[in-house]
């Protein structure tokens, strides 16, 4: 399905500006982490493994907004930790909306009913609720019973209040094509969320459970079977067609880690959200002092099984814009052989 039309236009205009300016490396979306603290202890994550003094810190509003303005990305994904534990998260969202950024606020949704009244529906704002399977599977992933039911109730409440609600589902080697189909059918058809993002489980080094991550061939087999029969065209997936081709092994790309940089309490993470090879104080320093050619499959062994969106969705977007056929396909115009 790809991006909403107005967002596709915003991104397309931004990318054209970068081309006119001759910029070779630029951000498309920035991952903003204004805190590391979380109210859950998910087995496939590792943010709460940070030291106690970092878990207590909250990024000032001015610092969060300044980082987004500095890099210039048109889209912002606010994550963490759990962003709704930040006492000024609503102000961060307001300030970014005033700067005409498109924002998704990532949450496990447990705290969403308590804080929903602080936000207002806006075409450039969406909740991004993590749903990693149906009831038992999701509760197992987040290591707490009852969270799936809480998330579903919160999604319904947000939708009734007029908000856009997206979901983000991470799949691991414990999943099968059928579990992928089951959760996406439920989110798409029964719960009726606006858009869905999917990701193969990536080897995040701080995750307490290191035995659940997918390899490249496992990822391709999982999604090729799950997507079969035209299902992926029916689901409201928030990805470019070329990235979905990439997931099921029909296309391959080099990683574009600078396309979705990550900014947290520690600074600009080098080289990406998944690897922590140090931090830069400014986005320009990140660009200028990172040896980007060292990273990617076949270059760094830590990258060998990675097919995460933070590296490969930007690659797919650039490939889409470089082809008239793929550009038409991305906005839903049928093309021969697509």
């Amino acid at each position: 399905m790809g991006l909403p039309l107005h967002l596709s236009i915003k991104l397309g205009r931004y990318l054209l500006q970068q081309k006119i300016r001759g910029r070779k490396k630029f951000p498309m979306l920035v991952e903003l982490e204004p805190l590391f603290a979380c109210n859950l202890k998910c087995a496939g994550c590792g943010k709460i493994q940070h030291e106690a003094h970092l878990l207590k810190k909250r990024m000032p509003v001015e610092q969060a907004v300044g980082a987004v303005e500095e890099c210039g990305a048109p889209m912002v994904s606010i994550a963490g930790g759990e962003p709704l534990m930040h006492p000024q998260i609503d102000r961060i969202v307001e300030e970014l909306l005033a700067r005409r950024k498109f924002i998704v606020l990532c949450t496990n949704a447990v705290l969403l009913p308590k804080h929903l009244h602080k936000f207002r529906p806006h075409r450039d704002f969406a909740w991004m609720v993590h749903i990693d399977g149906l009831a038992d599977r999701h509760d197992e992933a987040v290591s707490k019973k009852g969270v799936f039911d809480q998330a579903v109730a919160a999604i319904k409440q947000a939708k009734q209040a007029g908000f856009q609600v997206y979901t983000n589902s991470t799949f691991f080697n414990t999943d099968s094509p059928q579990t992928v189909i089951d959760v996406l059918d439920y989110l798409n058809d029964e719960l009726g969320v606006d858009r869905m993002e999917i990701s193969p489980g990536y080897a995040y080094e701080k995750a307490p459970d290191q035995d659940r991550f997918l390899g490249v061939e496992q990822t391709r087999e999982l999604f090729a079977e799950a997507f079969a029969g035209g299902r992926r065209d029916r689901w409201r997936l928030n990805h470019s067609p070329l990235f979905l081709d990439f997931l099921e092994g029909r296309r391959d790309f080099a990683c574009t880690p600078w396309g979705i940089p990550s900014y947290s309490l520690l600074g600009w993470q080098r080289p990406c959200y998944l690897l922590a090879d140090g931090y830069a104080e400014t986005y320009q320093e990140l660009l200028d002092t990172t040896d980007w050619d060292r990273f990617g499959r076949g270059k760094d062994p830590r990258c060998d099984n990675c097919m995460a969106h933070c590296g490969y969705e930007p690659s797919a977007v650039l490939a889409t814009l470089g082809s008239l056929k793929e550009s038409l396909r991305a906005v839903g115009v049928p093309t021969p052989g697509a």
Side-chain angles (χ1 to χ4, degrees):
M1 184 178 183
L3 298 174
L5 180 59
H6 82 281
L7 183 54
S8 295
I9 293 172
K10 181 193 292 282
L11 180 59
R13 184 183 300 119
Y14 169 79
L15 294 174
L16 179 60
Q17 291 170 348
Q18 308 316 303
K19 184 174 182 179
I20 292 172
R21 293 170 183 169
R23 294 183 68 187
K24 301 297 184 183
K25 293 182 174 63
F26 48 84
M28 300 180 197
L29 176 148
V30 59
E31 297 266 9
L32 177 66
E33 297 182 316
L35 79 173
F36 292 133
C38 190
N39 54 337
L40 294 177
K41 300 177 180 180
C42 302
C45 183
K47 293 300 179 181
I48 61 170
Q49 305 299 317
H50 282 288
E51 298 165 352
H53 75 279
L54 280 175
L55 294 178
K56 293 177 182 178
K57 291 185 69 174
R58 305 292 183 264
M59 187 180 293
V61 174
E62 295 76 14
Q63 181 181 346
V65 174
V68 174
E69 287 198 301
E70 176 202 352
C71 75
M75 300 183 290
V76 184
S77 173
I78 304 177
E82 170 51 57
L84 290 177
M85 292 176 65
H86 193 298
Q88 295 179 297
I89 192 62
D90 53 322
R91 274 204 54 212
I92 293 175
V93 170
E94 287 174 6
E95 293 292 338
L96 293 176
L97 285 174
R99 288 159 176 79
R100 304 183 70 178
K101 304 297 182 181
F102 182 87
I103 304 156
V104 291
L105 199 160
C106 305
T107 177
N108 56 47
V110 172
L111 300 175
L112 184 53
K114 179 180 178 181
H115 296 283
L116 190 63
H117 69 281
K118 299 177 183 179
F119 301 84
R120 60 186 177 87
H122 192 288
R123 77 169 191 164
D124 284 334
F125 175 76
W127 297 101
M128 177 76 79
V129 179
H130 296 275
I131 299 289
D132 289 338
L134 298 181
D136 290 342
R137 182 170 288 274
H138 179 73
D139 289 351
E140 178 187 5
V142 301
S143 304
K144 188 174 182 179
K145 290 288 291 182
V147 174
F148 177 82
D149 291 338
Q150 289 178 282
V152 167
I155 288 171
K156 291 179 178 178
Q157 182 178 345
K159 290 286 291 177
Q160 289 171 358
F163 289 92
Q164 298 179 84
V165 180
Y166 295 7
T167 54
N168 184 14
S169 301
T170 303
F171 299 104
F172 299 94
N173 60 17
T174 53
D175 280 290
S176 67
Q178 192 58 51
T179 64
V180 176
I181 293 166
D182 289 345
V183 70
L184 295 181
D185 275 348
Y186 174 77
L187 295 171
N188 192 84
D189 302 337
E190 294 187 44
L191 199 53
V193 301
D194 293 278
R195 289 169 187 273
M196 303 175 291
E197 290 192 4
I198 56 177
S199 179
Y202 37 74
Y204 184 64
E205 62 185 6
K206 283 185 174 291
D209 185 351
Q210 292 288 320
D211 297 325
R212 59 174 56 207
F213 298 115
L214 289 160
V216 170
E217 290 308 314
Q218 286 178 298
T219 296
R220 290 170 173 165
E221 291 171 6
L222 177 69
F223 287 110
E225 190 168 340
F227 290 165
R231 280 183 289 264
R232 81 173 226 191
D233 296 325
R234 185 174 60 78
W235 291 325
R236 291 185 294 278
L237 295 172
N238 194 45
H239 295 288
S240 64
L242 281 182
F243 179 71
L244 298 177
D245 289 349
F246 168 75
L247 286 184
E248 59 177 308
R250 294 167 55 191
R251 293 288 296 264
D252 200 12
F253 299 110
C255 179
T256 307
W258 43 261
I260 302 184
S262 176
Y263 183 77
S264 73
L265 293 165
L266 298 172
W268 293 97
Q269 188 166 330
R270 198 192 318 270
C272 70
Y273 169 72
L274 302 175
L275 302 179
D277 286 8
Y279 295 84
E281 289 189 13
T282 67
Y283 180 68
Q284 193 60 50
E285 179 188 341
L286 176 76
L287 287 183
D288 293 344
T289 63
T290 304
D291 185 359
W292 301 103
D293 292 334
R294 285 181 44 223
F295 303 101
R297 291 205 303 274
K299 299 178 180 179
D300 186 316
R302 297 172 297 175
C303 304
D304 285 348
N305 286 317
C306 180
M307 297 181 71
H309 78 284
C310 62
Y312 292 100
E313 184 79 77
S315 308
V317 170
L318 291 173
T320 298
L321 293 175
S323 164
L324 175 60
K325 175 182 175 181
E326 294 298 342
S327 296
L328 293 173
R329 182 182 174 211
V331 296
V333 177
T335 58

